[in-house]
Amino acid sequence: VQLQASGGGLVQPGDSLRLSCEASGGTFTSNYLGWFRRAPGKEREFVASMRWRGSPTYYAESVRGRFTISRSSAKNRMYLQMNRLKPEDTAVYYCVESNGARERSDVVSWGQGTLVTVSS
């Protein structure tokens, strides 16, 4: 199964964007599904995750209240709804399957990444 992220683009501060991730060729199989991001010049960081069934959910403090992670009932897609975007949200976003809620070391599969640029 390959993870394919999509939905990135160039938006203005305050705008919304929804990222999608498809488990191509099958379904998600890990205990946790989530999103990480890597901003220019920085390490990859945790953004959001959820248990495979869709809850509970976990968020980085920097995005809590603005981002929402979810999955489809078909169980082969997940989403990251991003509202009130800020320039500091600019990054390449990666969808992941993981054995843990937050740690990069628990990630077992990375998607290819989709670029989100927030700029006026």
Side-chain angles (χ1 to χ4, degrees):
V1 174
Q2 290 186 326
L3 304 182
Q4 298 182 337
S6 62
L10 173 63
V11 296
Q12 295 186 340
D15 284 354
S16 298
L17 203 60
R18 190 176 81 155
L19 305 183
S20 297
C21 179
E22 179 182 9
S24 177
T27 61
F28 299 119
T29 59
S30 297
N31 288 329
Y32 294 85
L33 310 174
W35 294 87
F36 279 68
R37 68 186 181 186
R38 182 172 62 190
K42 296 187 177 181
E43 296 290 324
R44 290 186 189 189
E45 64 175 2
F46 167 76
V47 176
S49 69
M50 60 186 171
R51 287 297 299 269
W52 62 270
R53 58 182 176 272
S55 64
T57 57
Y58 309 86
Y59 296 95
E61 284 303 315
S62 60
V63 306
R64 188 183 302 277
R66 299 188 298 121
F67 291 11
T68 303
I69 188 172
S70 62
R71 67 177 300 171
S72 70
S73 58
K75 296 182 173 57
N76 69 332
R77 281 185 179 269
M78 63 171 163
Y79 307 99
L80 185 68
Q81 177 67 41
M82 305 185 295
N83 297 330
R84 304 197 306 276
L85 282 161
K86 303 176 181 180
E88 51 263 44
D89 294 318
T90 295
V92 177
Y93 284 73
Y94 302 87
C95 55
V96 303
E97 290 194 71
S98 180
N99 290 327
R102 296 176 181 269
E103 298 300 323
R104 191 171 60 181
S105 58
D106 288 328
V107 174
V108 297
S109 182
W110 294 87
Q112 87 282 9
T114 185
L115 176 62
V116 173
T117 304
V118 185
S119 176
S120 56

